Amino acid sequence: MRPKASLLIERIHTLVTCQPTQVDPIGRIAGACVAVAGEHILAIGSMADVISEVDASDATRIDGSGKILAPGFVDSHTHLVFGGSRVQEYAARLTRTASEAVAMGIPTGILATVEMTRAESAEVLTQSALRRLDEMLQHGTTTVESKSGYGLSLAEELKILQVNQRLDDHHPIDIISTFLGAHAAPPEIPHAEYVDLVISEMIPAVAEAGLAKFCDVYCDEGYFSLEDSRRILEAARGAGLGLKIHVDQYSDLGGGGLAAALAVVSADHLNYTGRDSARRLARAGVTGVLMPLIDFAVQHPRPFQARLLIEEGMTIALATDFCPGCWAVSMPLMIQFASRQHRLSPEEAFLAATAGGARALNLNDRGILAPGFLADIQMWDLPSFEDAFYRLGHNPVEIVIKRGKIVLDRRRDGGSTGHLYR
Ligand code: ZN
């Protein structure tokens, strides 16, 4: 008996599998068909092949004529949950320096957001983050990593991580939760004491509660030193958490070497990462997470060098870095910036925003469209794959399928608009 399909997407103009072949790094198939059973992909191939393999008699059918079908985006680096906004700071900094903004009495930086986040209840934080996730979904994102780091005390960090859990329960997007207690030291405790608190109390409590998959640390001048970072990450590894590191964003403290030595899952930012460091990271199998929109938002004096990292053999992921300093929900906009500003081909950029993102989160069930993988799919109303890079600021997403369910449908020809999942 042929296996039953629950969903069939047929006559697809171009299917982008993100599974590289010898001739195509993103494994395109023209005139394709995708069959889904439950949460997973059942079959992929030509119309004739798929129809002969599966029983589609009860399947919901989607017409893919003239459309591009691709894996949903995996946004592997965000600071999704926070209170308030830093719009005043952003607006002032368009024409003024940081110290001028401070002199104007505008609250700035991570600690300003910590104060605003502590002032909000878990319920309010959940509601604002759900709205952000809605926008991300509308732009084709189906998995989002979400870091804590605006609480900076045990209770406040747990509050944010519990919000992550509620978001994962209540929104179709999968939330991968990361503990970033070492984002900055809070004003009320000396730095060294805070590092000890992260290691001896926060990491064990977070791990015991099962509220995070990863532990991250902000290794940079003015934040956490190389030695702080090593101690924190080793404690996290001991507690069974996966490791990530914000590294080389504003200075090179040697964090690249630490990331390679610890074989962390991902090293993120990498603005000051040189060739030697990149080579070591590549050898250690560390994925580099690059975020062009934060470099744009802060007008970074030294944008990351994607080509150098790729030349040295690193796998890269591309993410939004959605945070109070970079209010960016759109992965389509992000890959447009990545490709133009950092000389990435459309294929390289898209692969980094899907399969690369999955690798940066140690997820081997998504980011690729192939049998057995999650049916996390976006459909674009575009004449070609490259149009997604050409039409600046355009959101091409028409349908989003998450774990086999249609969660967004914006087709003009009778499809309903807005959110189907609520
Ligand atoms: Zn970050």
Side-chain angles (χ1 to χ4, degrees):
M1 234 171 49
R2 290 173 300 164
K4 262 189 174 312
S6 49
L7 182 66
L8 194 76
I9 309 151
E10 36 188 356
R11 294 184 292 275
I12 303 158
H13 179 274
T14 304
L15 172 65
V16 176
T17 63
C18 286
Q19 201 162 44
T21 65
Q22 289 202 328
V23 291
D24 184 359
I26 53 169
R28 273 167 277 216
I29 304 173
C33 180
V34 175
V36 172
E39 295 195 345
H40 295 91
I41 292 170
L42 186 58
I44 268 180
S46 69
M47 281 297 294
D49 285 352
V50 172
I51 292 299
S52 69
E53 271 178 55
V54 309
D55 171 2
S57 53
D58 296 332
T60 302
R61 289 174 180 246
I62 294 175
D63 181 11
S65 306
K67 314 286 183 182
I68 313 292
L69 208 80
F73 288 115
V74 178
D75 192 350
S76 57
H77 185 135
T78 84
H79 304 255
L80 178 70
V81 180
F82 57 84
S85 113
R86 300 222 305 272
V87 61
Q88 282 187 302
E89 176 188 349
Y90 190 84
R93 291 292 309 277
L94 293 173
T95 53
R96 296 177 170 91
T97 65
S99 41
E100 284 168 346
V102 171
M104 291 165 71
I106 296 172
T108 62
I110 293 172
L111 293 180
T113 298
V114 169
E115 212 176 306
M116 293 185 253
T117 306
R118 287 176 174 180
E120 284 187 1
S121 68
E123 180 54 29
V124 169
L125 291 173
T126 302
Q127 291 308 321
S128 57
L130 282 173
R131 285 194 294 275
R132 294 164 196 166
L133 286 171
D134 284 351
E135 278 192 78
M136 290 175 170
L137 184 71
Q138 285 162 13
H139 289 86
T141 300
T142 48
T143 298
V144 168
E145 187 254 13
S146 170
K147 302 178 194 293
S148 67
Y150 295 116
L152 309 188
S153 71
L154 177 58
E156 290 293 329
E157 286 292 306
L158 289 176
K159 179 175 88 178
I160 296 170
L161 294 171
Q162 281 155 358
V163 170
N164 276 347
Q165 196 170 48
R166 286 165 72 173
L167 297 173
D168 191 45
D169 290 344
H170 290 100
H171 200 280
I173 290 180
D174 286 334
I175 303 296
I176 308 301
S177 181
T178 295
F179 169 62
L180 179 59
H183 194 193
E188 65 271 12
I189 323 178
H191 181 92
E193 243 174 78
Y194 184 65
V195 174
D196 289 341
L197 184 75
V198 168
I199 291 169
S200 59
E201 288 183 32
M202 294 166 88
I203 288 172
V206 167
E208 162 136 77
L211 285 171
K213 174 172 177 171
F214 294 103
C215 177
D216 195 345
V217 54
Y218 192 176
C219 178
D220 220 317
E221 226 165 84
Y223 294 89
F224 294 88
S225 69
L226 192 61
E227 189 48 28
D228 292 340
S229 303
R230 182 196 316 279
R231 288 177 57 212
I232 290 165
L233 291 176
E234 282 174 352
R237 171 161 290 168
L241 297 171
L243 307 185
K244 288 179 165 286
I245 185 167
H246 282 64
V247 74
D248 298 348
Q249 187 181 7
Y250 292 107
S251 60
D252 180 2
L253 301 183
L258 173 65
L262 291 174
V264 301
V265 175
S266 78
D268 303 31
H269 288 295
L270 306 177
N271 298 67
Y272 286 84
T273 305
R275 284 199 182 272
D276 284 354
S277 204
R279 205 169 305 141
R280 273 193 278 174
L281 288 166
R283 264 194 234 120
V286 177
T287 299
V289 179
L290 308 176
M291 294 159 284
L293 294 178
I294 184 72
D295 284 3
F296 172 74
V298 303
Q299 287 290 285
H300 202 296
R302 182 164 158 162
F304 62 80
Q305 296 177 272
R307 290 254 65 91
L308 177 150
L309 303 172
I310 292 170
E311 278 162 24
E312 296 305 330
M314 283 187 80
T315 297
I316 61 160
L318 285 165
T320 58
D321 200 11
F322 180 90
C323 69
C326 174
W327 197 290
V329 294
S330 171
M331 289 288 275
L333 180 71
M334 186 280 295
I335 57 175
Q336 290 167 1
F337 267 69
S339 54
R340 180 74 284 174
Q341 301 276 74
H342 300 273
R343 295 174 52 234
L344 294 171
S345 70
E347 291 79 10
E348 286 173 321
F350 192 69
L351 210 56
T354 51
R359 192 168 140 166
L361 298 175
N362 226 352
L363 297 169
N364 52 19
D365 60 353
R366 66 195 75 192
I368 289 172
L369 297 183
F373 279 73
L374 281 177
D376 289 1
I377 301 169
Q378 53 181 325
M379 188 166 94
W380 298 344
D381 183 23
L382 287 178
S384 77
F385 168 72
E386 290 80 6
D387 272 85
F389 294 81
Y390 174 56
R391 302 186 184 201
L392 302 177
H394 177 66
N395 179 12
V397 175
E398 196 173 59
I399 288 183
V400 177
I401 295 161
K402 176 61 188 173
R403 291 182 176 266
K405 282 206 183 99
I406 303 169
V407 290
L408 183 91
D409 187 346
R410 289 204 285 225
R411 283 174 294 179
R412 264 173 254 144
D413 53 347
S416 56
T417 54
H419 293 100
L420 297 181
Y421 65 88
R422 283 195 168 165

